[in-house]
Amino acid sequence: MLEIAATPELVVVPPALPAVLAHLHHQLDGAVAIVSGRPIGQIDGLLAPFLASAAGEHGVSIRYADGTLEELPVGIAVPDTWREALNGAVERWPGVRVETKPHGVAVHYRLAPERENDVWQLVRALVAPDHPWFRLIPAREAVEIGLRAASKGHAVERLMGHAPFHGRKPIFIGDDFTDEAGMSMARRFGGLGLRVAEVFGGDPAQVRAWLTRGMERMDGRPAPPAAPTSVSP
C-alpha cells in the first residue's frame, strides 16, 4: 500500500489511507488485516488511528480481532552477539543500516548497493542454512534474519481460523518475496493472491485506488471502473 522509501522510517502514508482502511473494516465487519514484516507497533504507528487485526514480523506476532496477542514461537529472538556483529560491520559501510526488530533484524543496503555481496557474506556467516531457529529472508535491497517457524502464509492460516475471517475467502495483496507464502495460502482458502507488479502495474497508488473504489462500491455509490483483471494463477 506504500511506496518504497530510502529507509523504512521514511515511508509516507497518504493522509486518506487510514480512513479508507477504517471504512473497509466497518463494511467487512472487521475482516481486514495488515500482514507485514514490520513489528505490530510500527504498523499501528504508521496507520494511526486505524487499528485492526495484524501480523507483524512475517507472522511472528499476531493480533486477533478481539485484541488477543499471539507470539510464535514464544521468547525466541536473534542473539545479541549477532546484532553486535552486524552493527560493528555496518559502521564500516556507509549507507548500510541495521533495522532492529523485537525478534529479528534486517540489514538494508538500498543506499549502498555496492555492499550487497558484503552484507550477504556477513549474514551467511552468522546463520547456517540448517539453523534450527533462524533463516535468511531476502527482501528488496535488504536481507533479514527471521524466525524459521514464521511466515506470512502461516499468519494468514491462523487469522482464517478466527472471527471475523473464518469461513470467508481472503484476498491477499503483496509485492515482495515474503508475500508469496501469504498469497499462496489465500488461494488455498479459495481466495485470491494479487501481486502488485502483475495486477496493479507495480504501483502502490493503484492498490490504494482499488481499495477506495471497492469501499465506494460497497457504499452503493456509482459503479467504479473495472477492477484489475490480471490475477496471477
Side-chain angles (χ1 to χ4, degrees):
M1 293 187 296
L2 304 179
E3 283 76 9
I4 295 292
T7 61
E9 63 270 15
L10 292 179
V11 297
V12 175
V13 179
L17 180 59
V20 170
L21 293 174
H23 199 69
L24 285 168
H25 186 267
H26 172 73
Q27 291 171 320
L28 296 171
D29 299 321
V32 173
I34 306 298
V35 181
S36 174
R38 293 175 180 268
I40 289 178
Q42 286 188 19
I43 297 171
D44 292 347
L46 283 170
L47 298 177
F50 174 68
L51 198 69
S53 300
E57 291 193 75
H58 311 290
V60 175
S61 302
I62 291 187
R63 179 176 63 216
Y64 295 102
D66 63 0
T68 301
L69 288 170
E70 181 178 275
E71 181 181 320
L72 182 70
V74 176
I76 302 297
V78 167
D80 288 340
T81 53
W82 291 5
R83 299 181 191 270
E84 292 166 4
L86 293 171
N87 286 322
V90 301
E91 288 179 358
R92 307 190 301 271
W93 300 336
V96 179
R97 64 180 303 277
V98 174
E99 179 189 6
T100 300
K101 303 182 180 184
H103 302 87
V105 61
V107 186
H108 298 264
Y109 48 87
R110 178 176 300 276
L111 299 179
E114 71 279 4
R115 290 295 183 183
E116 178 179 3
N117 289 336
D118 294 323
V119 169
W120 276 94
Q121 287 178 8
L122 175 59
V123 295
R124 284 180 177 134
L126 294 174
V127 186
D130 59 350
H131 195 284
W133 292 108
F134 298 99
R135 63 181 175 127
L136 298 181
I137 305 172
R140 292 187 180 183
E141 296 176 290
V143 57
E144 182 167 346
I145 301 176
L147 293 185
R148 184 174 295 278
S151 77
K152 291 181 180 177
H154 293 151
V156 171
E157 184 176 29
R158 286 149 66 194
L159 286 167
M160 291 300 295
H162 293 74
F165 303 98
H166 185 70
R168 294 177 180 250
K169 293 184 178 181
I171 299 174
F172 189 103
I173 303 173
D175 69 348
D176 207 345
F177 169 81
T178 59
D179 294 318
E180 293 295 328
M183 290 185 277
S184 178
M185 186 60 68
R187 296 185 192 109
R188 283 181 56 184
F189 278 93
L192 298 175
L194 306 181
R195 295 187 182 96
V196 175
E198 297 175 3
V199 181
F200 300 96
D203 185 1
Q206 289 194 31
V207 178
R208 298 192 297 269
W210 182 75
L211 292 172
T212 300
R213 291 195 300 269
M215 176 193 73
E216 292 173 345
R217 188 170 188 174
M218 284 189 285
D219 267 347
R221 303 180 198 179
T229 57
S230 177
V231 178
S232 54

